[in-house]
Amino acid sequence: MRALTLPGVLRTLTPLGWIAGMVVVVAATGLVLGGLGFRWDPFDLSRRRLEAAELSAARAQAEAAARSAEAQAQADQVTRLDAALHTLRSLDRATTLSIQEARTADDADLPLATDRADRLRDHDRELCRIAPDLAGCAAARDFAGVGEPTVRPLPAAR
C-alpha cells in the first residue's frame, strides 16, 4: 500500500473537491483571523450602524428633553391658573361684600357721604391688597408695550 502524499492528493481531486477544499481553507482562515481580532468590513457597515445608533440616541434625548420641558410648562401654567382663579375668587368675594354693604347701608339713597366714601376707599384698598397689579393700585404695572404711551387709570368722577 502506498502512502498518500500531498502532491498525489492534489492531483486526484476533482473540481468539486477543489472548491470544497478552498471553502474549508477560507473558513479556517476567517475563524483564526476573527479570533485574533481582525474584522473585514469592505462597505464600512459597522461605522454606518454606529452613526445611525448615535443619531437615534440623540433624537431620543432631544424628544425626552422636549417632553420634559412641555410637562414643566404645563405644570407652571396650571399653577398660574390656580393663582389667577384664587385671586378672582378673592376679588369677587370682596366686591360682593362691598356691594351688599353699600345696598343695605342707611345712606345708600343719599348723595355720597364721608362714611360711604370711606367704605369705597376701604374696598379699593382691599382690592389692591388682593391683586396689587390692578390698574389704579399704587403698585400697578404698566401694560403698555415698548414704544407705546404709558397706560394711565381714568380720572375719578367728581
Side-chain angles (χ1 to χ4, degrees):
M1 189 160 161
R2 224 172 106 190
L4 291 177
T5 62
L6 186 62
V9 171
L10 292 179
R11 274 185 260 135
T12 59
L13 288 177
T14 62
L16 188 60
W18 277 102
I19 292 173
M22 293 301 285
V23 168
V24 167
V25 168
V26 168
T29 304
L31 285 173
V32 169
L33 290 176
L36 293 175
F38 290 101
R39 298 286 178 248
W40 186 58
D41 192 7
F43 300 112
D44 205 15
L45 294 177
S46 61
R47 184 186 57 80
R48 290 182 187 172
R49 277 190 219 112
L50 176 64
E51 287 175 356
E54 288 173 346
L55 181 64
S56 177
R59 189 177 303 131
Q61 284 179 338
E63 288 175 4
R67 282 192 298 273
S68 175
E70 184 177 318
Q72 181 63 38
Q74 188 174 14
D76 292 346
Q77 184 177 9
V78 167
T79 302
R80 286 190 306 273
L81 182 61
D82 286 343
L85 287 175
H86 177 71
T87 301
L88 282 174
R89 286 186 192 118
S90 298
L91 290 172
D92 187 45
R93 212 174 295 123
T95 303
T96 302
L97 289 173
S98 178
I99 289 172
Q100 286 174 353
E101 287 177 13
R103 286 186 180 160
T104 59
D106 296 334
D107 59 353
D109 295 328
L110 299 176
L112 191 62
T114 309
D115 293 340
R116 193 169 186 193
D118 289 340
R119 281 197 308 272
L120 289 173
R121 266 193 291 287
D122 289 342
H123 180 255
D124 285 345
R125 276 192 220 104
E126 179 67 15
L127 291 178
C128 288
R129 186 190 63 76
I130 293 171
D133 58 342
L134 288 175
C137 292
R141 66 174 191 227
D142 189 8
F143 291 103
V146 176
E148 295 178 354
T150 301
V151 177
R152 298 179 201 279
L154 294 174
R158 294 181 190 191

